[in-house]
């Protein structure tokens, strides 16, 4: 019968049947109409309100549209060369992906087979867990301890089928981090038994002097893989570009699962230009984030609203009501936040730090919706 597909049930593997699809938020224009707001401040995705670097902006503007017809470099050749110079590693120590999200899948597919597992935290960036599960592997989720990754419990959870341990440093969404001593002690105890991925998507925001430089640790720990992205600090989220770095032997394995040509030419051009003035942009952005974090946390303290503010470009706020309800109320006032129930933090929202005037408006809106 037309429209019926009885074989579908048989075609779908059981581990896929269990999965709920992730529904991204609607485009801003649609949301504005739905909630009746004329402006919308996006405090939901940890985007950099200062945008791309000056050099990246120029590179995007000067991108020759005719080049749209030509395939990009299949392995981001020039970008890997510049990354190699910046971090003192071989260009072959890098794999560039369509956002750091894509390299998560490269790593998992390279090392896991049926019956294997990965280990990560229960309240962290969920894509490690999702990719493992929809690829048919178990994700062992270790509860956070004092809002941070619990190194001892993670070590105890390792078994002979554990292939990768994912550590988000600093953690999204709690902002906690392992310092160099703690990370090195963890890597020493793992002693090369598993791959250790340290996701440093927010590392460029961290100012603490004891924060580890994972790019340097790669020389001592060949099982260490580092993730970075151009989406957060460097304001290229729309272009989708991120990368991993590791020892030549490990990257050579991961390269086998890597989708070549997945990173478009404009993204490669903009990322390459970013490295020209990355340090200036980091200094400017860090100053903005510092000022906004200080403002937001002191206002929340005055209002007696509990929060978790660590490193990174975000703060989580605990509320006396459902996060979905507060989301809808804030949307009507033009502030889009991230509900945290999906991160296993019910009644919490995560707020991206943006320049002071936006934070002032947000506090005003939050006060108003909590009064009602
Ligand atoms: C911790 C963490 N890792 C990786 C990513 C993926 O970044 P992208 O795919 O935009 O490079 C994100 C994005 O939110 C993140 O928060």
């Amino acid at each position: 019968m037309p429209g019926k597909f009885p074989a579908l049930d048989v075609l779908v593997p059981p581990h896929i049947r269990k999965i709920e699809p992730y529904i991204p938020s609607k485009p801003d224009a649609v949301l504005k109409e739905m909630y009746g707001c004329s402006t919308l401040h996006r405090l939901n995705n940890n985007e950099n309100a200062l945008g791309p670097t000056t050099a990246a902006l120029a590179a995007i503007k000067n991108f020759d549209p005719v080049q749209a017809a030509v395939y990009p470099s299949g392995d981001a050749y020039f970008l890997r060369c510049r990354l190699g110079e910046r971090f003192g590693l071989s260009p072959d120590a890098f794999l560039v992906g369509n956002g750091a999200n894509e390299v998560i899948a490269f790593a998992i597919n390279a090392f896991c087979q049926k019956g294997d597992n990965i280990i990560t935290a229960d309240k962290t960036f969920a894509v490690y867990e999702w990719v493992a599960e929809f690829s048919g592997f178990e994700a062992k989720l270790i509860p956070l301890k004092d809002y941070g990754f619990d190194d001892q419990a993670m070590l105890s959870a390792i078994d002979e089928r554990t292939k990768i341990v994912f550590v988000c440093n600093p953690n999204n969404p709690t902002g906690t981090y392992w310092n160099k001593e703690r990370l090195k002690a963890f890597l020493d105890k793992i002693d090369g038994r598993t791959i250790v991925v340290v996701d440093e998507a927010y590392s460029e925001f961290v100012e603490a002097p004891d924060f580890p430089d994972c790019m340097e640790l790669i020389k001592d720990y060949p099982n260490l893989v580092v993730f970075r992205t151009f989406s957060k600090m460097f304001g290229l989220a729309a272009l989708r570009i991120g990368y991993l770095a590791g020892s030549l032997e490990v990257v050579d394995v991961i390269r086998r699962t890597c989708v070549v040509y997945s990173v478009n030419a404009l993204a490669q051009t903009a990322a390459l230009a970013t490295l020209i003035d990355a340090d200036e942009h980091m200094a400017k952005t860090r100053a903005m984030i510092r000022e906004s974090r200080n403002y937001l946390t002191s206002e929340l303290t005055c209002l007696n609203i509990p929060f978790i503010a660590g490193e990174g470009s975000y703060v989580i706020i605990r509320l006396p009501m459902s996060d979905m309800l507060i989301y809808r109320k804030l949307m009507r006032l033009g502030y889009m936040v991230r509900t945290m129930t999906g991160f296993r933090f019910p009644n919490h929202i995560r707020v991206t730090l943006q320049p002071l005037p936006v934070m002032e408006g947000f506090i005003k809106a939050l006060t108003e919706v909590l009064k009602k």
Side-chain angles (χ1 to χ4, degrees):
M1 220 181 6
K4 290 265 178 191
F5 189 5
L8 186 61
D9 267 1
V10 184
L11 294 176
V12 182
H15 69 275
I16 299 293
R17 260 180 247 153
K18 282 194 300 212
I19 291 170
E20 299 253 350
Y22 177 84
I23 314 285
S25 61
K26 296 198 162 47
D28 287 10
V30 178
L31 289 171
K32 281 188 200 164
E33 204 169 309
M34 274 170 66
Y35 289 95
C37 53
S38 53
T39 50
L40 189 58
H41 296 286
R42 298 173 54 86
L43 309 184
N44 61 326
N45 269 348
N46 299 336
E47 292 150 355
N48 187 344
L50 302 188
T53 74
T54 308
L57 282 175
I60 293 166
K61 221 170 165 173
N62 296 332
F63 185 80
D64 178 1
V66 171
Q67 290 303 310
V70 179
Y71 274 98
S73 163
D75 60 358
Y77 180 87
F78 289 117
L79 179 60
R80 289 187 302 105
C81 290
R82 270 295 288 122
L83 288 169
E85 282 165 25
R86 185 171 171 87
F87 296 114
L89 293 168
S90 158
D92 291 337
F94 298 89
L95 283 179
V96 182
N98 190 269
N101 267 336
E102 193 184 41
V103 304
I104 298 173
F106 296 165
I108 289 179
N109 289 329
F111 290 102
C112 293
Q113 57 182 318
K114 197 168 169 6
D116 286 345
N117 65 70
I118 63 121
I119 292 178
T120 189
D122 60 342
K123 292 168 178 149
T124 187
F125 187 57
V127 180
Y128 325 125
E129 174 190 339
W130 293 342
V131 174
E133 287 184 342
F134 69 57
S135 307
F137 311 120
E138 184 194 357
K140 291 194 190 185
L141 305 181
I142 310 304
L144 292 185
K145 188 172 174 190
D146 300 327
Y147 297 117
F149 271 64
D150 184 346
D151 40 7
Q152 294 313 317
M154 289 173 87
L155 286 167
S156 307
I158 294 175
D159 61 28
E160 68 288 353
R161 300 307 303 262
T162 304
K163 291 296 180 66
I164 310 182
V165 177
F166 284 91
V167 180
C168 188
N169 211 39
N171 188 29
N172 172 16
T174 55
T176 50
Y177 71 95
W178 285 357
N179 63 18
K180 183 172 176 180
E181 197 187 332
R182 193 163 174 190
L183 177 64
K184 282 185 67 163
F186 183 79
L187 288 163
D188 288 335
K189 287 202 180 113
I190 296 245
D191 197 21
R193 284 173 296 149
T194 74
I195 298 294
V196 176
V197 168
V198 180
D199 184 344
E200 295 194 331
Y202 296 94
S203 61
E204 292 95 352
F205 294 94
V206 184
E207 299 193 89
D210 62 349
F211 188 74
D213 178 354
C214 273
M215 292 298 185
E216 208 174 282
L217 292 179
I218 286 171
K219 292 188 197 81
D220 299 328
Y221 298 97
N223 58 325
L224 172 65
V225 173
V226 185
F227 289 174
R228 298 262 178 115
T229 179
F230 285 94
S231 298
K232 307 297 178 184
M233 171 58 80
F234 300 117
L236 297 181
L239 299 184
R240 313 300 304 123
I241 182 162
Y243 59 97
L244 63 74
S247 62
L248 293 180
E249 55 204 307
V250 162
V251 171
D252 184 53
V253 172
I254 303 179
R255 189 176 292 114
R256 299 165 201 201
T257 65
C258 174
V259 180
V260 289
Y261 297 105
S262 72
V263 185
N264 70 73
L266 181 58
Q268 292 187 37
T269 303
L272 192 59
T274 296
L275 298 178
I276 297 170
D277 55 353
D279 295 335
E280 262 171 80
H281 198 70
M282 274 167 58
K284 236 182 0 188
T285 304
R286 283 174 171 193
M288 179 272 280
I289 295 284
R290 208 183 307 128
E291 181 181 49
S292 292
R293 187 190 290 117
N294 289 342
Y295 166 78
L296 188 65
T297 53
S298 70
E299 288 295 313
L300 292 169
T301 306
C302 288
L303 292 165
N304 224 354
I305 300 175
F307 61 85
I308 308 165
E311 302 295 332
S313 55
Y314 42 82
V315 167
I316 339 184
I317 302 175
R318 199 176 87 210
L319 297 159
M321 60 177 83
S322 126
D323 43 351
M324 261 327 285
L325 182 64
I326 209 92
Y327 168 88
R328 286 196 292 266
K329 290 178 176 220
L330 285 169
M331 282 298 283
R332 284 188 209 113
L333 299 175
Y335 292 88
M336 176 155 55
V337 296
R338 173 51 63 100
T339 55
M340 285 279 101
T341 296
F343 273 76
R344 305 191 174 91
F345 273 109
N347 294 3
H348 287 67
I349 53 171
R350 191 193 62 201
V351 176
T352 303
L353 295 164
Q354 291 208 358
L356 213 47
V358 181
M359 293 290 103
E360 287 166 352
F362 167 73
I363 282 290
K364 217 170 133 219
L366 184 67
T367 315
E368 199 177 316
V369 300
L370 289 177
K371 250 195 256 152
K372 280 183 192 162

